[in-house]
Amino acid sequence: MTAPDRTEVTEAEADAEATLYCTVHPTVATNLRCNRCGRPMCTRCAVKTPVGYRCRECVRSQQDKFFDAQMLDYLIAGAVSLVISFFAAGLLARLGWFLFAFFLSPAAGGLIGRVVWQLTGKRRGRYMGMVVGANVIVGALPFFMLNPLAIGIYLFMATGAAVAQFRLHL
Ligand SMILES: [Zn+2]
Ligand SMILES: [Zn+2]
């Protein structure tokens, strides 16, 4: 069997819904298509994923997205954590009674985690937890002298709750 001529393939495709050829291996006929980008692919190129068969390129780009958040995501995560933490810690420091810290801190941390998670398109970043944790702390520090006990509790509990959202599940 000879390799199909480019123009023959195009004509055949235009004719009827004729045989497809793998994008990577143009001589291999197939009826599989990547369910993300739609390109034809042979069984050697197809990768089985939980959402169906995909080409290697799409699988790789999905993995990149899964593991590495963009720089913008880190900036958003840092800014959101800093601002929410600043207001939460400011409120807590003024409430006076330090026991409020036990209720307010996990709630504030959880809120920060959820808001960052949504605003960054739920992308996973290796350093996302670190960025969020650091900014939760920095946002609360200006209020430390105002109410050291409450903010001390806050620093541990809010940071822990916010960072918990970004543990990598591999
Ligand atoms: Zn694809
Ligand atoms: Zn192939």
Side-chain angles (χ1 to χ4, degrees):
M1 197 183 123
T2 54
D5 181 76
R6 267 281 159 222
T7 50
E8 265 174 39
V9 174
T10 317
E11 276 167 23
E13 275 175 348
D15 254 315
E17 286 182 46
T19 319
L20 301 167
Y21 291 89
C22 175
T23 312
V24 181
H25 308 99
T27 58
V28 182
T30 181
N31 54 10
L32 264 180
R33 274 182 187 277
C34 170
N35 77 357
R36 185 162 175 268
C37 69
R39 65 150 81 152
M41 57 184 182
C42 69
T43 48
R44 260 195 294 166
C45 294
V47 181
K48 196 178 191 317
T49 75
V51 288
Y53 286 99
R54 291 191 167 171
C55 71
R56 290 180 194 283
E57 228 163 90
C58 284
V59 169
R60 202 174 303 130
S61 77
Q62 279 299 102
Q63 282 177 343
D64 286 347
K65 211 195 275 175
F66 186 86
F67 289 122
D68 297 310
Q70 313 292 309
M71 186 49 73
L72 181 64
D73 295 324
Y74 284 110
L75 292 177
I76 292 170
V80 166
S81 308
L82 187 73
V83 169
I84 298 180
S85 186
F86 181 82
F87 284 106
L91 175 70
L92 177 64
R94 287 186 184 88
L95 283 178
W97 196 34
F98 80 92
L99 285 177
F100 277 126
F102 288 105
F103 304 102
L104 211 137
S105 306
L111 175 72
I112 291 167
R114 279 195 302 277
V115 172
V116 169
W117 183 239
Q118 290 295 330
L119 289 182
T120 55
K122 301 176 184 178
R123 279 183 283 275
R124 298 276 186 185
R126 281 177 222 277
Y127 311 109
M128 203 58 111
M130 222 183 288
V131 168
V132 168
N135 281 281
V136 169
I137 292 169
V138 171
L141 280 181
F143 305 103
F144 188 74
M145 293 318 289
L146 209 62
N147 194 338
L149 195 51
I151 298 302
I153 294 164
Y154 174 91
L155 288 178
F156 279 101
M157 295 186 78
T159 307
V163 168
Q165 176 82 53
F166 301 97
R167 294 220 178 90
L168 289 178
H169 306 285
L170 299 180

